[in-house]
Amino acid sequence: MNRLTDSTASASLSNMANTRLLLTKMMLNDGGEEELVLRSYEKDGLKMVIFYLMVVLSLGLVLLLIYWKPELECYLKKRRCALYKAEVVMIKDHYGHASVVKVDYIFLDDVSTAEGYNRHVYHDAPVDVDDTTVLVTGDSPTVRYFDFQQIRYIWDAQQYTFRKLEDLSSGTRCATIHDEFPGLSASTQAHKRLLHGLNSIVIEVKSYWRLFIEEVLNPFYIFQVCSIILWAFDEYYYYASCIFLISLISISVSLYETKRQSRTLSDMVGSLETNISVCRGGQEFEEIPNQNLVPGDLIAIPPHGCVMMCDAVLVAGTCIVNESMLTGESVPVTKTPLSHQEDEEVYTPENHKRHTLFAGTHVVQTRYYGQAKVLAVVVRTGFNTAKGELVRAILYPKPLGFKFYQDAMRFILFLAGVASLGMIYSIIIETQMGAYPGKIVLRVLDIITIVVPPALPAAMTVGTVYAQNRLKKAGIFCISPPRINFCGRINTFCFDKTGTLTEDGLDMWGVVPAQNQCFQEPIRKLPELPRSQILVCMATCHSLTLIDGELMGDPLDLIMFNSLNWSLEEPGQDTTKYDTLMPTIVKPSDKDSFMSDEVPFEVGIVRQFTFSSSMQRMSVITRTLGHNHMEIYSKGAPEKIASLCNPDTVPENFQPVLHTYTVQGLRVIALAYRPLEAKVNWHQVQRISRDKVECNLTFLGLLVMQNQLKPETTPVIRTLLEAKLRTVMVTGDMIQTAVSVSRNCGMVHPRDKVVIVNAHPPDKQQTARIEWEYAELPTDIDIVSEQDTDIDSDAGQDSRAALLPPESVVVNASSPLLSPGSESRMTAVKGYRTVNVSDEGPRHHLAINGKSFAVITAHFPEMLEKICTKGTVFARMLPEQKCQLIQNLQKLDYIVGMCGDGANDCEALKAAHAGISLSEAEASVAAPFTSRISNIECVVTAMREGRAALVTSFGCFKYMALYSFIQFVSVLILYTFGANLSDFEFLYIDLVITTTIAVLMGYTGPYHKLVRKKPPGSLVKVSNLLSIIMQVLLVGGMQVSAYFYLRSQSWYEEPPPSKDLENVHSWESTVIFLVSSYMYISVAFCFSKGPPFRKPIYTNYPFLISMMFLFGFSTFLLLLPLPEIEHFLEMKELHEKSITFRLYLFGFAVAFAIMSSFMEYMIVDSSMLKPCYKAIKKRGPQNRYKVVENEIKNSDWPPVGQVTFPTTNAIHVSDIHVEMNSQSAIH
């Protein structure tokens, strides 16, 4: 029976293997944004013969099509095959973009010596097969692979599939890193380097010749080349030569800018080639180039620091690191070695970043014991590093999917359709005239170059180029120019709190000690603290270090330590009295410490457990001189520290007192400690798990700090709210503090209600649930009113005096403490320093913390849309949760901006449509925008520039479309009579008028303020289409009227038909040319709108001067024509005709200008038509967030005072929030 079962199972596995072996399609990175669909192909001899025949017959056009659409190569030259036989793979990414990549081979000359490739190195599942053996093809020592977007994928011969080449950053236990990487031999390193490639992040700076070829093969320039060839055949030599020269200049400028930006980016992410010391086992070290490093190498960090070229995890010693290149924050970070208590954990750079040195970061200083080296194991190299991922995000950005660009392509296709109608009309007319077939072909093709202008793509980017230069002058650097247009459409802006809305620095308010489960009186003067555990906790529980004699570290730690008047000494020679090799020593700076005959009061910091945002705390193990035992001190989020303490030591009024301070916007840190057993020695401390010591702590008290709003914060928030832009706070701080800051800065109006969303995961007693409660109790508002009366009665009182002591009742977020610099710009309403944004009734704002956000995401996904739509405060959010929030807002069709200081905001800044990092660096890879302005005023600047750039793009596009239609109507009228414009008439229109206007139209600067009205986001908006249609009809009507006016003249004679269609010296072409030249100028004026998104047109001096010059010169040609100019332009002898005739033509031009302006400003922009626009817009699909808003508006939501379970709607619970239920809810 067992034999039968085994046989069946074996057959089943064999069938499954055979099925997988024959697969021709597979999916990689399933479910994420990096999802890839692979299709395998191999050569097909018959297809190759047919392909080359097609190339010859098409004169190379097929090759050009393959260059534009790489997937055509697979369809035309190759056939599908099994993955294991693939010579190339066609890859389609998550966004539908296709690429064709060659499958290559790595030849391993000696598989048996490739030690270190065992699967357990990268995975902890025990297997018996050598990893290299798994990867090789058959019996030959080769590995099949392909590289896509700088990531390597290798063929797994056992699983019959391609998989991402892994390193130590995935699936490796911490114990493995400690035990199995004592240093790689040179041969093992060489073999690994064959697989992983060189450890380098190189951005290729292409040669000018290669850039030129790639630029010329762009569809835009191919169209230009074809147009120039066409004009040359049509004997428009001057025009073709000028356009060729302009195109050459344009290409040269483009090549220069492309190479400059490429070189800048290469210099920004590149590093100097340096050597690093690697361990070859034992104490043998060898200097090798950094680029030769591979995952698994054991490296020694230089004592005086270096710039990291790889991601490596510390296994011995500590490092002080500046991570500003990656995060934008220049505060040094202490990195500690991976401890043995984490042995059972699976290592990930995200969860163990406190132990990880990331590529691109600067190791400022190292700490080591005696003569020992600071050692780290390389976990990732090249583009797989954290820096490499950010660089890849720049090189291969996520498609923006901006509706404007999509509509522009549709409109160009529409113009192509119009051109086809014109071509049909031209063929019919010219055939009836008996024209030569060759001339008919030339005229028909010429229509395409007229209706779809070659300069259209360039004209659309003019506004963005000007905006980028203005942003740079304002201290805002942009590494992704297309995102500037997104700034113009933003309707929701998210802000980090600390360092963004509030000052980086904190002011020490005081300490609230706890004793016998009771809080004591606050101590405001910290040097007066008695020598107790709470004092030692503040003196030791930090990550400060001395760099060049200056104390450096986290701003909070600096303020806490400096407020004590203690001193810190780095490791000295005499360290034996601390029972440790090299401790950091802290001691008081008062004279008693130096003059006393007793043992000095000095504390050595034996071990650090660095701060972790996921753990919300940090701890240190210390030993006080003269004591026979060690102690652990912890500080962190109050609720987290309290949960680690012995409940008998936590004050009974812990929550009310904590609420007292947090509701005033104060930063509160809890302190705790525990003495360790005397038998615990240094060696045990270095290996002990933090979970084993961070428990059963004694609660010491609260450390209270003030975090003031930046003076610019409230005015900027007010500006955004007045412009009807949604503002959201996303912070890692406590929810009460965040709610308080949101009120003080004006995000939440004084009359609005804040509802805290508390979501609980399922437990043994009940399922997951959501509790809804108001952030402020009803009694808070009454007390605040009394407090405000006292504050207002003494205007000269220091705002800091308004803080209520902890023994008083709970207060609302009304303290003026956070906004003293903005008081003159805000009104006092019930103590809140805010502004009256609107006269609307009270609204509900949701406040939620990261834990609740995770519960709702997992157990209440149907509630997530409403939470994200109504949420204003998102507190205690982890970096990945900030990114998830941005993505959820984008799914609701919000255009989202994000502003942060770069520290924990990198993921969110990258995910947002427009991410702005506040950093002193000129540019970093942390965000698309980097602002050297250290406050959120840069947000308003970027949005103003974005709106101006977007409106400019719309204006330029509409102008180029009208330019096409004007010329299209002109040539159709002239083709009807076998006439055409002359070479120099075309030049005057296209080069002198259109190019000048298109270049200078975007020079107009942004309007000085944000308005409620949003710029249009779509070209197919009803008002845009109405504008273009009306203008086209007016153009056609005026040109036809001018032509009939010409025919009405007594001296007019209809020209004889011409088979060669070369009748350029005719009255038809002269009149149409003169009248149409005014039309180009008039529509440029109409589409150069100023307020409310751009400054008035008269502020754009170059554009205004050029418009006046062009109008004047066209008038000169019409009213005062010189024979020499008439001859040059091949016009008829207009000067011989009466001035009346010329004045009538001038009247046509003036009438067109007046009627064009009237239609654009008085009809299209008329308030009477706005209801019609809205009615038509409502018929189309609404943004998802508007649908959700309507659902909320038509329901009794949020269910305050209720509990929501996954299986039911809101369920009333009678014993919850009794006080709130007694009050009437305000909705």
Side-chain angles (χ1 to χ4, degrees):
M1 186 70 179
N2 289 337
R3 184 179 302 171
L4 180 62
T5 304
D6 292 344
S7 175
T8 305
S10 176
S12 176
L13 289 173
S14 177
N15 291 335
M16 185 181 299
N18 289 335
T19 302
R20 299 184 70 175
L21 184 63
L22 297 176
L23 284 177
T24 63
K25 176 183 176 182
M26 67 169 295
M27 186 174 292
L28 293 173
N29 311 324
D30 191 13
E33 287 191 355
E34 294 189 2
E35 179 181 281
L36 303 175
V37 177
L38 267 63
R39 290 180 174 85
S40 51
Y41 291 86
E42 64 180 356
K43 288 182 181 178
D44 185 314
L46 179 60
K47 281 190 173 182
M48 290 289 289
V49 173
I50 297 174
F51 170 76
Y52 286 117
L53 186 61
M54 292 171 60
V55 170
V56 174
L57 295 176
S58 65
L59 300 179
L61 180 61
V62 173
L63 294 176
L64 194 60
L65 292 176
I66 288 178
Y67 179 79
W68 293 338
K69 299 285 286 183
E71 60 268 33
L72 292 177
E73 179 183 2
C74 295
Y75 301 144
L76 298 176
K77 296 171 61 177
K78 305 181 184 302
R79 64 169 177 261
R80 296 288 293 273
C81 68
L83 284 166
Y84 77 94
K85 296 194 299 180
E87 296 175 353
V88 297
V89 288
M90 184 174 71
I91 303 173
K92 280 198 174 180
D93 61 19
H94 181 67
Y95 308 101
H97 297 167
S99 304
V100 177
V101 179
K102 181 183 178 182
V103 177
D104 217 329
Y105 294 84
I106 298 173
F107 296 93
L108 303 176
D109 45 5
D110 188 0
V111 178
S112 63
T113 62
E115 53 185 296
Y117 283 159
N118 291 338
R119 184 172 291 270
H120 72 270
V121 171
Y122 297 109
H123 301 277
D124 291 307
V127 295
D128 300 326
V129 185
D130 183 271
D131 195 41
T132 304
T133 306
V134 171
L135 300 178
V136 299
T137 305
D139 297 327
S140 61
T142 59
V143 179
R144 302 174 68 242
Y145 75 96
F146 66 86
D147 292 332
F148 178 69
Q149 293 185 351
Q150 310 295 341
I151 298 297
R152 178 159 294 181
Y153 296 86
I154 55 176
W155 176 253
D156 189 327
Q158 279 199 337
Q159 299 297 321
Y160 304 114
T161 182
F162 283 102
R163 61 179 173 86
K164 185 176 179 180
L165 178 60
E166 296 172 344
D167 44 40
L168 300 188
S169 64
S170 59
T172 307
R173 289 190 303 119
C174 295
T176 303
I177 294 177
H178 272 295
D179 301 337
E180 300 190 16
F181 292 97
L184 301 179
S185 65
S187 60
T188 301
Q189 185 189 64
H191 278 83
K192 282 198 171 188
R193 191 160 54 249
L194 286 174
L195 272 181
H196 293 273
L198 291 176
N199 171 41
S200 60
I201 301 176
V202 177
I203 297 179
E204 181 184 5
V205 180
K206 299 175 183 176
S207 67
Y208 277 114
W209 174 247
R210 183 175 171 186
L211 287 173
F212 174 77
I213 296 298
E214 292 180 355
E215 191 78 9
V216 168
L217 293 179
N218 184 290
F220 162 63
Y221 284 112
I222 291 293
F223 186 44
Q224 285 274 41
V225 170
C226 293
S227 300
I228 290 170
I229 294 172
L230 174 65
W231 297 326
F233 275 113
D234 205 14
E235 298 181 3
Y236 281 84
Y237 300 121
Y238 291 111
Y239 184 77
S241 301
C242 288
I243 296 300
F244 173 77
L245 182 61
I246 292 173
S247 299
L248 197 60
I249 294 173
S250 175
I251 289 176
S252 301
V253 172
S254 177
L255 294 186
Y256 173 78
E257 283 297 316
T258 301
K259 183 149 187 171
R260 185 183 64 83
Q261 292 181 7
S262 179
R263 189 182 289 115
T264 299
L265 184 60
S266 178
D267 293 342
M268 185 172 71
V269 304
S271 301
L272 295 175
E273 291 298 330
T274 56
N275 291 340
I276 190 77
S277 181
V278 298
C279 181
R280 294 305 186 195
Q283 296 300 313
E284 181 186 351
F285 284 83
E286 178 186 354
E287 291 279 330
I288 66 169
N290 264 298
Q291 65 178 10
N292 289 346
L293 292 176
V294 296
D297 268 328
L298 182 65
I299 60 175
I301 309 299
H304 300 292
C306 63
V307 175
M308 292 299 298
M309 295 283 287
C310 61
D311 286 357
V313 58
L314 274 173
V315 292
T318 60
C319 292
I320 311 299
V321 184
N322 184 331
E323 297 185 330
S324 60
M325 176 62 187
L326 296 183
T327 66
E329 183 174 336
S330 57
V331 175
V333 179
T334 300
K335 301 287 184 173
T336 58
L338 191 68
S339 57
H340 284 280
Q341 65 266 22
E342 297 168 302
D343 281 353
E344 297 306 314
E345 298 179 16
V346 175
Y347 171 79
T348 62
E350 294 77 21
N351 295 337
H352 297 86
K353 63 182 180 182
R354 61 190 180 278
H355 309 306
T356 305
L357 304 173
F358 293 104
T361 61
H362 181 207
V363 178
V364 180
Q365 190 173 309
T366 62
R367 297 286 174 78
Y368 50 92
Y369 305 120
Q371 299 301 315
K373 295 178 180 294
V374 177
L375 301 176
V377 175
V378 177
V379 292
R380 296 188 296 197
T381 58
F383 280 92
N384 290 312
T385 62
K387 177 184 176 181
E389 290 176 359
L390 291 173
V391 174
R392 285 200 308 117
I394 297 173
L395 297 177
Y396 313 104
K398 181 175 69 174
L400 298 175
F402 197 23
K403 192 171 178 59
F404 170 69
Y405 299 119
Q406 298 168 1
D407 291 343
M409 293 308 298
R410 294 193 190 102
F411 200 83
I412 289 174
L413 292 176
F414 168 73
L415 292 178
V418 172
S420 64
L421 295 177
M423 292 165 66
I424 295 171
Y425 173 80
S426 178
I427 291 172
I428 295 173
I429 292 296
E430 292 167 358
T431 302
Q432 291 176 351
M433 295 172 61
Y436 297 123
K439 286 295 182 180
I440 294 177
V441 171
L442 290 176
R443 288 289 176 266
V444 168
L445 294 177
D446 197 30
I447 288 178
I448 299 177
T449 67
I450 290 171
V451 177
V452 185
L456 180 59
M460 290 172 58
T461 61
V462 167
T464 304
V465 172
Y466 286 128
Q468 185 179 11
N469 290 332
R470 287 193 295 262
L471 284 171
K472 187 174 181 179
K473 291 178 182 178
I476 303 172
F477 301 89
C478 176
I479 60 174
S480 180
R483 290 184 184 261
I484 294 175
N485 279 340
F486 271 104
C487 291
R489 290 291 297 166
I490 287 175
N491 50 24
T492 297
F493 223 103
C494 300
F495 296 93
D496 180 37
K497 183 182 76 69
T498 306
T500 303
L501 297 176
T502 61
E503 297 285 358
D504 277 317
L506 297 168
D507 294 329
M508 179 62 67
W509 185 86
V511 175
V512 186
Q515 190 174 356
N516 300 326
Q517 283 193 286
C518 293
F519 281 111
Q520 308 300 306
E521 289 290 329
I523 299 176
R524 301 294 299 276
K525 297 180 180 180
L526 298 193
E528 297 178 1
L529 275 171
R531 290 182 180 177
S532 59
Q533 281 82 14
I534 195 169
L535 177 65
V536 176
C537 182
M538 295 172 61
T540 58
C541 196
H542 52 71
S543 57
L544 300 179
T545 184
L546 287 171
I547 299 178
D548 296 330
E550 183 179 357
L551 205 58
M552 303 287 286
D554 185 271
L556 185 148
D557 290 344
L558 277 170
I559 293 165
M560 177 182 71
F561 186 79
N562 288 333
S563 66
L564 301 177
N565 195 24
W566 278 44
S567 61
L568 180 143
E569 295 180 0
E570 295 294 350
Q573 296 298 320
D574 184 13
T575 58
T576 55
K577 59 185 177 182
Y578 296 101
D579 192 23
T580 180
L581 295 179
M582 303 290 279
T584 296
I585 304 166
V586 293
K587 58 185 178 182
S589 298
D590 55 71
K591 60 181 180 180
D592 295 337
S593 300
F594 299 100
M595 301 180 66
S596 173
D597 295 331
E598 301 177 0
V599 176
F601 186 60
E602 298 179 359
V603 184
I605 301 174
V606 179
R607 174 81 188 278
Q608 266 188 10
F609 299 108
T610 55
F611 175 78
S612 166
S613 57
S614 59
M615 296 183 175
Q616 300 179 334
R617 65 185 184 275
M618 79 159 291
S619 300
V620 293
I621 296 177
T622 69
R623 181 162 186 176
T624 304
L625 189 60
H627 290 193
N628 64 351
H629 66 276
M630 298 186 190
E631 296 169 316
I632 180 170
Y633 290 94
S634 298
K635 81 173 192 297
E639 61 269 33
K640 175 58 69 174
I641 294 297
S643 69
L644 299 175
C645 290
N646 184 337
D648 295 335
T649 66
V650 180
E652 296 178 355
N653 60 340
F654 171 77
Q655 288 294 346
V657 171
L658 178 62
H659 183 80
T660 300
Y661 293 105
T662 57
V663 82
Q664 297 179 75
L666 296 172
R667 182 80 176 270
V668 182
I669 307 292
L671 309 174
Y673 98 110
R674 178 167 71 89
L676 303 181
E677 296 180 7
K679 63 181 181 181
V680 177
N681 59 29
W682 180 87
H683 295 285
Q684 292 173 320
V685 164
Q686 300 307 315
R687 297 181 64 88
I688 198 167
S689 165
R690 69 185 298 173
D691 294 333
K692 294 179 180 178
V693 290
E694 291 179 333
C695 60
N696 200 29
L697 303 176
T698 298
F699 189 82
L700 293 176
L702 300 175
L703 175 66
V704 185
M705 293 185 171
Q706 301 171 165
N707 191 197
Q708 297 187 1
L709 283 177
K710 293 181 179 179
E712 301 84 3
T713 295
T714 301
V716 170
I717 297 297
R718 174 179 58 190
T719 299
L720 297 178
L721 293 177
E722 287 178 342
K724 285 293 183 181
L725 295 166
R726 182 183 170 198
T727 56
V728 176
M729 185 188 300
V730 190
T731 177
D733 210 340
M734 287 189 63
I735 194 166
Q736 292 89 349
T737 303
V739 169
S740 171
V741 173
S742 71
R743 286 197 178 276
N744 280 276
C745 71
M747 277 189 187
V748 178
H749 193 271
R751 291 179 296 172
D752 291 348
K753 297 289 185 179
V754 177
V755 178
I756 293 183
V757 183
N758 287 318
H760 304 277
D763 50 34
K764 295 181 180 179
Q765 283 74 30
Q766 54 187 324
T767 62
R769 63 198 183 279
I770 304 175
E771 298 174 359
W772 313 79
E773 59 183 5
Y774 284 120
E776 298 95 359
L777 301 176
T779 54
D780 293 346
I781 300 175
D782 299 332
I783 294 165
V784 168
S785 300
E786 296 176 6
Q787 183 191 4
D788 295 337
T789 303
D790 297 337
I791 294 173
D792 295 338
S793 63
D794 187 5
Q797 183 180 359
D798 191 323
S799 61
R800 290 173 174 78
L803 281 170
L804 294 184
E807 62 271 12
S808 63
V809 291
V810 178
V811 296
N812 203 343
S814 59
S815 171
L817 172 70
L818 296 180
S819 52
S822 305
E823 290 182 16
S824 61
R825 287 169 284 195
M826 297 180 290
T827 57
V829 182
K830 286 196 173 184
Y832 303 126
R833 297 300 186 261
T834 185
V835 294
N836 293 320
V837 175
S838 67
D839 296 327
E840 298 175 0
R843 298 188 307 123
H844 279 97
H845 300 261
L846 300 185
I848 184 171
N849 60 27
K851 179 181 176 182
S852 297
F853 186 80
V855 172
I856 290 173
T857 302
H859 301 283
F860 300 85
E862 74 284 352
M863 196 75 69
L864 198 58
E865 286 189 341
K866 291 184 178 180
I867 297 290
C868 292
T869 301
K870 296 296 289 183
T872 299
V873 175
F874 294 83
R876 288 286 190 242
M877 297 287 279
L878 300 175
E880 58 268 25
Q881 288 180 317
K882 293 182 179 183
C883 182
Q884 291 169 12
L885 174 64
I886 298 293
Q887 291 170 342
N888 280 312
L889 290 171
Q890 290 171 335
K891 289 178 183 177
L892 288 167
D893 299 325
Y894 284 107
I895 307 297
V896 187
M898 173 72 192
C899 184
D901 58 5
N904 293 313
D905 307 317
C906 286
E907 293 181 53
L909 291 169
K910 284 288 183 185
H913 290 105
I916 305 177
S917 173
L918 305 183
S919 172
E920 293 182 1
E922 179 172 319
S924 73
V925 292
F929 295 87
T930 303
S931 172
R932 299 180 73 174
I933 306 168
S934 60
N935 58 69
I936 62 172
E937 283 183 338
C938 60
V939 168
V940 177
T941 303
M943 291 186 67
R944 286 171 47 238
E945 289 290 357
R947 290 185 172 193
L950 185 58
V951 170
T952 297
S953 297
F954 271 98
C956 285
F957 190 91
K958 289 170 65 178
Y959 172 73
M960 295 303 290
L962 258 295
Y963 150 73
S964 300
F965 278 117
I966 292 170
Q967 203 166 84
F968 178 65
V969 171
S970 298
V971 297
L972 285 187
I973 293 174
L974 295 177
Y975 284 1
T976 305
F977 306 100
N980 201 358
L981 297 175
S982 70
D983 202 346
F984 287 104
E985 285 173 338
F986 270 122
L987 268 179
Y988 177 70
I989 291 172
D990 291 351
L991 183 60
V992 179
I993 297 180
T994 305
T995 304
T996 304
I997 288 174
V999 169
L1000 298 178
M1001 181 184 284
Y1003 194 70
T1004 307
Y1007 196 51
H1008 66 276
K1009 68 175 183 178
L1010 292 177
V1011 296
R1012 293 190 178 188
K1013 183 180 178 182
K1014 304 292 189 302
S1018 172
L1019 279 171
V1020 296
K1021 189 178 178 183
V1022 179
S1023 57
N1024 285 335
L1025 294 178
L1026 179 63
S1027 171
I1028 292 175
I1029 291 171
M1030 292 179 66
Q1031 294 287 354
V1032 170
L1033 292 176
L1034 182 61
V1035 165
M1038 279 297 176
Q1039 290 199 32
V1040 170
S1041 299
Y1043 168 71
F1044 280 112
Y1045 174 69
L1046 170 66
R1047 289 181 64 93
S1048 68
Q1049 301 303 305
S1050 58
W1051 44 262
Y1052 171 77
E1053 293 181 2
E1054 188 169 329
S1058 172
K1059 290 187 177 183
D1060 61 2
L1061 305 177
E1062 290 295 340
N1063 190 7
V1064 296
H1065 188 69
S1066 65
W1067 280 109
E1068 288 83 1
S1069 61
T1070 300
V1071 169
I1072 294 297
F1073 163 69
L1074 290 171
V1075 172
S1076 65
S1077 64
Y1078 285 97
M1079 293 180 176
Y1080 300 107
I1081 302 169
S1082 299
V1083 295
F1085 175 80
C1086 291
F1087 296 153
S1088 297
K1089 295 179 180 178
F1093 306 118
R1094 303 198 305 171
K1095 290 180 179 179
I1097 189 174
Y1098 57 77
T1099 62
N1100 186 348
Y1101 298 118
F1103 180 68
L1104 191 64
I1105 293 171
S1106 66
M1107 290 276 286
M1108 294 172 63
F1109 170 78
L1110 293 172
F1111 182 83
F1113 188 76
S1114 294
T1115 304
F1116 172 75
L1117 288 178
L1118 177 60
L1119 300 181
L1120 301 171
L1122 298 176
E1124 294 79 7
I1125 296 179
E1126 290 176 341
H1127 177 72
F1128 179 76
L1129 295 174
E1130 298 185 62
M1131 295 167 53
K1132 293 293 281 186
E1133 294 74 17
L1134 189 63
H1135 67 279
E1136 297 177 357
K1137 303 304 177 185
S1138 66
I1139 189 65
T1140 304
F1141 173 70
R1142 284 175 275 165
L1143 287 174
Y1144 266 102
L1145 292 181
F1146 183 72
F1148 278 111
V1150 172
F1152 175 84
I1154 294 173
M1155 294 174 66
S1156 176
S1157 300
F1158 179 81
M1159 287 192 305
E1160 189 68 23
Y1161 291 97
M1162 304 303 294
I1163 298 180
V1164 175
D1165 293 344
S1166 171
S1167 57
M1168 294 185 295
L1169 289 180
K1170 287 183 180 179
C1172 299
Y1173 297 154
K1174 291 181 180 179
I1176 296 172
K1177 185 179 179 181
K1178 285 182 179 179
R1179 294 181 181 179
Q1182 274 192 313
N1183 289 326
R1184 180 59 191 165
Y1185 71 86
K1186 291 185 177 178
V1187 175
V1188 176
E1189 284 177 348
N1190 289 332
E1191 291 176 359
I1192 294 173
K1193 187 177 180 180
N1194 297 326
S1195 63
D1196 189 19
W1197 199 91
V1200 182
Q1202 302 177 18
V1203 177
T1204 303
F1205 293 97
T1207 55
T1208 61
N1209 292 327
I1211 299 176
H1212 289 270
V1213 180
S1214 58
D1215 58 347
I1216 294 180
H1217 311 310
V1218 176
E1219 282 189 286
M1220 287 185 285
N1221 290 335
S1222 64
Q1223 305 290 327
S1224 59
I1226 301 175
H1227 296 284

